[in-house]
Amino acid sequence: MITKWSKGILLGVCMIALAALAACGGESSGATAEDGDTVKIGALYDITGGTGDVGTPYSEGEEAYYEYLNSKGGINGVQVEVIGDDYAYDMAKGQRLYQELRDRHKVAAILGWGTADTEALRQQVAHDKFPYFSASYSENLKNLEESPYNFLTAATYSDQGRAVVKWIKDNHEGGEPTLALLYNDTAFGRSPVEDIKEYAADMGVKVVDEQVIPVTATEAQSQMLNMKKKNPDYAIIQQTWGAAATILREAKTLDIDTQFIGLNWATGEGVVEIAGDAAEGMLGVVTHAFPYEDLEGMKEIKEYLDSKGLSTDDVSQKFVQGWVTAKIMAEGIGNAEELTGEGIRKGLEQIDQMDLGGLAAPVTFTSDNHSGTNQVRLAQVKDGKFEVISDYFSHED
């Protein structure tokens, strides 16, 4: 969803990145508590790639939080310098950007993006000792032996799917519920599929169909016709806004009577904007708040937006998601005794039930668990707008 806010902040992101490239080359190390008043955070954005529909507002939220924080004096007096660029959902370009952030800019931590690139970089991240907050919530990142510097700031895709299956089991009326899985053929799309199938089997929810639909799909009639033959009661969508909207439009055209439930990247204002009436009744997993919710944590966002002559109407839930991710990273930096990668990791591991003012479920990290939460909410599109219909819950509740 590109708004007047999106256009302005994208230019700002590019200017910040270019300024950082000019000013920071040649420095020898990331900032520490002893050697300076700035800590550098690297960032990989998807703005022009296959998931740019959600990647753009997410990156805007990350940038905005640190701008806001710096205006308030930074983190214990330390300013945050974000050095980021658009890698366009291209693994090779992401690898090159990572190396540039490490070797040229000497960042102390990284805000990442996709599942494929995050998983591919795990060994390097561990070797380089960079705390790494990805926008991927892959279950694989829970493994601390393989991912000792990766942190998950929201429920994994698998835990989101398990929560949906539990909700189906608890709320379905009449016989054994049936389920379809709709996903794209990327590491992101495939990530939760086997875990959902296994949990569904345990819960007595029968998976009757799977359809692979490209993340950039603008039509999916053949896949939806195939699904219609199986007539599932429910269908979980693991996509971003664009492909999710394509699925919903095709379902409306084909008069498919299935309850669609999007995992977090398929949920948000953008899917309603694109799909229109076809989105009515869709359920979605909500890991982060909508900007129109009346929550304590929204006060800072409103203050920041007001300073820019904007309002919450100009941003989306994915902006909030990026904002929260950056805020959690800042908390770890504030806890750190030394502003190096290893020091920030230890600072993050001190976070215990961090209160995010309702913008997301509280997060906790420890030295043996970097999975911050498994809690989600559910929302449903009613009269063209997502309305939250549940409190935070998990499949373990």
Side-chain angles (χ1 to χ4, degrees):
M1 179 171 61
I2 303 296
T3 63
K4 63 179 181 180
W5 162 248
S6 301
K7 294 173 183 175
I9 194 68
L10 279 175
L11 178 59
V13 169
C14 294
M15 292 177 67
I16 290 168
L18 289 171
L21 286 170
C24 301
E27 295 187 12
S28 61
S29 64
T32 70
E34 290 78 28
D35 71 5
D37 60 355
T38 299
V39 60
K40 298 177 186 177
I41 297 177
L44 281 72
Y45 303 135
D46 182 17
I47 295 171
T48 60
T51 59
D53 52 349
V54 291
T56 298
Y58 180 90
S59 69
E60 293 167 358
E62 291 177 317
E63 291 277 347
Y65 177 75
Y66 288 124
E67 182 182 350
Y68 172 80
L69 188 64
N70 285 338
S71 75
K72 298 295 183 180
I75 304 170
N76 302 329
V78 176
Q79 293 285 291
V80 179
E81 181 178 1
V82 182
I83 304 170
D85 203 355
D86 174 20
Y87 81 111
Y89 212 51
D90 181 321
M91 278 185 59
K93 189 173 181 180
Q95 175 75 43
R96 292 193 297 273
L97 177 56
Y98 172 86
Q99 292 170 348
E100 183 174 331
L101 293 169
R102 179 193 64 195
D103 299 336
R104 181 177 181 185
H105 300 297
K106 312 296 184 184
V107 299
I110 293 180
L111 299 166
W113 178 250
T115 298
D117 41 280
T118 300
E119 292 184 349
L121 286 168
R122 282 185 296 175
Q123 290 185 343
Q124 289 185 65
V125 167
H127 177 270
D128 299 332
K129 297 183 178 180
F130 288 139
Y132 200 100
F133 277 24
S134 179
S136 167
Y137 307 131
S138 166
E139 187 92 352
N140 292 334
L141 300 175
K142 281 185 174 181
N143 186 335
L144 288 193
E145 289 186 6
E146 297 181 1
S147 312
Y149 278 80
N150 290 87
F151 290 80
L152 288 152
T153 60
T156 66
Y157 301 134
S158 297
D159 279 342
Q160 292 176 37
R162 294 180 184 112
V164 168
V165 170
K166 182 180 187 299
W167 181 88
I168 289 171
K169 184 66 175 179
D170 291 346
N171 291 274
H172 182 74
E173 297 179 358
E176 180 184 46
T178 56
L179 175 66
L181 304 177
L182 310 177
Y183 54 92
N184 54 74
D185 191 20
T186 68
F188 154 62
R190 297 187 301 268
S191 177
V193 171
E194 294 306 316
D195 289 332
I196 292 173
K197 287 162 66 175
E198 181 179 346
Y199 186 74
D202 292 341
M203 292 294 288
V205 175
K206 187 175 181 181
V207 176
V208 296
D209 192 40
E210 296 178 45
Q211 295 295 326
V212 177
I213 299 164
V215 71
T216 55
T218 56
E219 68 86 22
Q221 188 175 84
S222 61
Q223 293 97 326
M224 299 310 293
L225 281 169
N226 288 335
M227 191 197 81
K228 185 176 183 180
K229 295 173 184 176
K230 302 297 180 65
N231 192 30
D233 298 309
Y234 306 90
I236 291 177
I237 303 173
Q238 172 68 337
Q239 298 279 5
T240 62
W241 288 342
T246 294
I247 289 167
L248 296 174
R249 288 199 307 264
E250 299 284 20
K252 182 177 176 65
T253 299
L254 297 170
D255 196 26
I256 293 175
D257 185 21
T258 291
Q259 176 63 67
F260 292 94
I261 309 173
L263 299 189
N264 77 287
W265 291 115
T267 300
E269 299 90 337
V271 71
V272 180
E273 184 176 300
I274 301 167
D277 290 346
E280 278 297 307
M282 173 194 176
L283 289 169
V285 169
V286 182
T287 55
H288 294 76
F290 295 97
Y292 46 79
E293 292 188 72
D294 184 15
L295 300 166
E296 181 67 25
M298 206 62 66
K299 290 180 180 179
E300 289 183 342
I301 294 178
K302 289 179 178 178
E303 181 183 353
Y304 174 80
L305 293 173
D306 184 63
S307 74
K308 301 294 181 181
L310 301 168
S311 74
T312 53
D313 291 338
D314 296 300
V315 297
S316 73
Q317 185 216 21
K318 302 314 175 194
F319 175 94
V320 176
Q321 197 160 340
W323 178 283
V324 168
T325 304
K327 186 179 181 72
I328 297 169
M329 176 73 82
E331 183 76 6
I333 293 171
N335 292 338
E337 294 183 6
E338 186 177 47
L339 298 184
T340 61
E342 190 167 5
I344 294 171
R345 175 192 170 183
K346 292 177 181 178
L348 288 164
E349 291 171 347
Q350 296 174 36
I351 293 177
D352 184 14
Q353 287 294 295
M354 180 179 174
D355 183 359
L356 293 161
L359 298 183
V363 297
T364 296
F365 299 125
T366 66
S367 60
D368 58 4
N369 187 355
H370 289 180
S371 182
T373 182
N374 62 4
Q375 300 279 311
V376 301
R377 296 184 295 169
L378 288 180
Q380 187 167 31
V381 180
K382 298 178 181 180
D383 297 324
K385 185 177 181 180
F386 273 104
E387 294 183 14
V388 176
I389 62 170
S390 80
D391 294 328
Y392 283 103
F393 74 100
S394 81
H395 68 284
E396 296 177 340
D397 293 342

